[in-house]
Amino acid sequence: MSIEEFDVLVVGAGISGIGAGYYLQRDLPDHSYVILENRDAIGGTWDLFRYPGIRSDSDMFTLGYSFKPWAEEKAIADGPSIWKYVNETADEYGIREHIRFKHRVVRSSWDSREARWTVEAEHNGAVKRFRVKFVLMAAGYYNYEEGYQPQFPGAERFKGALIHPQHWPEGLDYAGKRVVVVGSGATAVTLVPAMTDKAAHVTMLQRSPTYMVSLPSEDKLANWGRRNLPKHFAYDLTRMRKIIFQQFFFRLARSRPGKTKKRLLALIREQLGPDYDMERHFTPSYNPWEQRLCLVPDNDMFTAIRDGKASVVTDTIETFTEKGIKLASGQELEADIIISATGLNLRMLGGAEI
């Protein structure tokens, strides 16, 4: 069996893998490299997920590449815009020609005598082998084939559609439907306001609250700088400003958790009004940044709740029923569609054997 030789092998052609390709070309121009991608497209997460409202939960000035200025108006970007950005980067810098699609890395073996890795990948039913000096894993941290789906009691009885966001059905019609989203993480906070455009009502069912913080989807100062300053200078300035703010906010939250918590909840209270049950639905039992905060762009989640298009229920699931979900409190949430925004299955190193 023939073996191809390279200096560097990168696993994954998502946002990290494409970035790695750029830096290898820039900093190690005399070194050869290849990118092995399990799927048939560039983009990783931003090509896989197709649920309504899919977006970043970080600003694109820090999530994006330092070498390629983010040029869109919105700093909190939608999935298709990020997919376009990653693909443009691959084409602009000639990285696409280094990618081998539908190559699933199954094994990497190290030989100390030769100081080389032998990497085996499955491609169209055959095994391809590569010998390289360095392997860079850019395959992410979760299983692309299967999201985390809890074993809900009685789920087989539910007559409606039970969907995991990682496998969103193409063309799903939720117009006029009652939707329950199980979970309170970034995916749920994205889905709930996004689906209120067509759904009759959207309910977010959570076991416990998550800290949420709202930011404008557009950064007016960044957009002004892009129009009035040299492109790369404006981008670097914005990127530095964002990083400094993030570090400041994180350290403030960890050093003064009580004051930070009070301020975060006060901002939500301003959106939902004095009579809303903040203690039950939006006050976590832990301090800010002991778990990740959820980003709410332009207050869209709170606006949907205030307008009566969405609601939050804090309770635990006793069982699924034919019509929806029966809660531990005895309440039954009737639904036509239940979405389990319950997270991802951890999978290190793309599932490869080392």
Side-chain angles (χ1 to χ4, degrees):
M1 184 184 297
S2 63
I3 299 180
E4 293 187 75
E5 300 210 9
F6 295 92
D7 292 306
V8 182
L9 184 146
V10 180
V11 181
I15 195 166
S16 296
I18 299 303
Y22 169 84
Y23 287 111
L24 285 167
Q25 293 176 175
R26 189 192 73 177
D27 299 337
L28 299 169
D30 297 329
H31 288 60
S32 60
Y33 78 93
V34 65
I35 301 175
L36 302 187
E37 168 56 45
N38 180 27
R39 304 174 72 246
D40 60 358
I42 288 173
T45 292
W46 305 109
D47 181 71
L48 175 69
F49 283 88
R50 304 295 176 91
Y51 59 81
I54 173 70
R55 58 167 172 80
S56 66
D57 57 355
S58 302
D59 71 87
M60 287 305 297
F61 298 102
T62 51
L63 181 63
Y65 302 119
S66 61
F67 58 86
K68 181 175 171 59
W70 176 253
E72 302 288 337
E73 289 289 316
K74 287 192 173 183
I76 309 301
D78 60 87
S81 295
I82 302 173
W83 179 89
K84 178 184 175 186
Y85 174 72
V86 176
N87 275 266
E88 280 181 355
T89 304
D91 292 331
E92 183 177 339
Y93 294 100
I95 299 166
R96 190 183 295 270
E97 64 196 56
H98 293 267
I99 302 172
R100 308 283 181 88
F101 293 104
K102 294 187 177 180
H103 279 66
R104 185 171 72 90
V105 175
V106 294
R107 188 173 297 102
S108 295
S109 305
W110 174 252
D111 186 327
S112 294
R113 290 171 299 178
E114 294 191 9
R116 293 291 187 276
W117 287 98
T118 298
V119 178
E120 297 179 19
E122 292 180 352
H123 174 65
N124 293 336
V127 175
K128 303 288 185 180
R129 302 179 75 199
F130 303 83
R131 187 156 51 217
V132 299
K133 297 177 183 177
F134 296 93
V135 176
L136 175 62
M137 301 301 298
Y141 56 86
Y142 66 90
N143 186 339
Y144 272 61
E145 281 73 50
E146 183 181 75
Y148 176 65
Q149 184 73 286
Q151 297 299 310
F152 294 116
E156 69 282 353
R157 290 188 289 161
F158 179 54
K159 299 298 185 183
L162 176 58
I163 297 166
H164 193 284
Q166 189 167 325
H167 303 286
W168 194 265
E170 187 174 350
L172 176 70
D173 181 16
Y174 55 90
K177 303 290 179 65
R178 297 163 300 176
V179 179
V180 173
V181 179
V182 180
S184 60
T187 301
V189 172
T190 299
L191 271 168
V192 170
M195 295 186 75
T196 57
D197 63 337
K198 298 177 184 177
H201 189 80
V202 184
T203 302
M204 185 175 81
L205 172 59
Q206 59 178 9
R207 286 183 299 184
S208 59
T210 300
Y211 282 109
M212 298 183 189
V213 61
S214 183
L215 288 174
S217 59
E218 293 188 18
D219 186 319
K220 293 182 179 180
L221 186 58
N223 290 339
W224 180 90
R226 191 173 62 250
R227 290 191 295 267
N228 295 279
L229 298 172
K231 182 174 69 172
H232 279 277
F233 176 73
Y235 184 68
D236 290 345
L237 203 62
T238 299
R239 187 178 174 89
M240 181 175 67
R241 173 169 59 86
K242 294 285 188 181
I243 291 171
I244 290 172
F245 173 77
Q246 289 172 12
Q247 289 295 315
F248 169 78
F249 178 61
F250 173 76
R251 293 179 186 188
L252 179 68
R254 302 303 290 137
S255 62
R256 297 184 179 180
K259 288 187 176 180
T260 305
K261 176 178 182 176
K262 186 176 179 180
R263 181 57 181 156
L264 288 173
L265 298 182
L267 290 171
I268 300 174
R269 170 71 73 193
E270 289 176 10
Q271 294 295 316
L272 298 180
D275 298 327
Y276 193 86
D277 191 349
M278 290 286 299
E279 183 67 28
R280 181 171 178 80
H281 300 309
F282 283 99
T283 306
S285 59
Y286 54 91
N287 288 324
W289 274 120
E290 287 180 358
Q291 295 183 31
R292 192 176 181 188
L293 275 68
C294 280
L295 178 61
V296 179
D298 300 323
N299 288 306
D300 60 1
M301 175 81 172
F302 311 129
T303 301
I305 295 171
R306 195 173 61 235
D307 293 346
K309 297 178 179 179
S311 56
V312 178
V313 173
T314 305
D315 209 328
T316 54
I317 295 171
E318 181 177 305
T319 184
F320 274 48
T321 66
E322 291 186 359
K323 296 181 178 180
I325 299 174
K326 184 181 178 183
L327 304 174
S329 63
Q331 179 186 0
E332 184 169 4
L333 292 178
E334 293 190 359
D336 303 298
I337 300 171
I338 297 175
I339 301 166
S340 55
T342 45
L344 309 165
N345 274 324
L346 187 69
R347 186 169 74 173
M348 300 302 293
L349 307 175
E353 177 189 346
I354 304 297

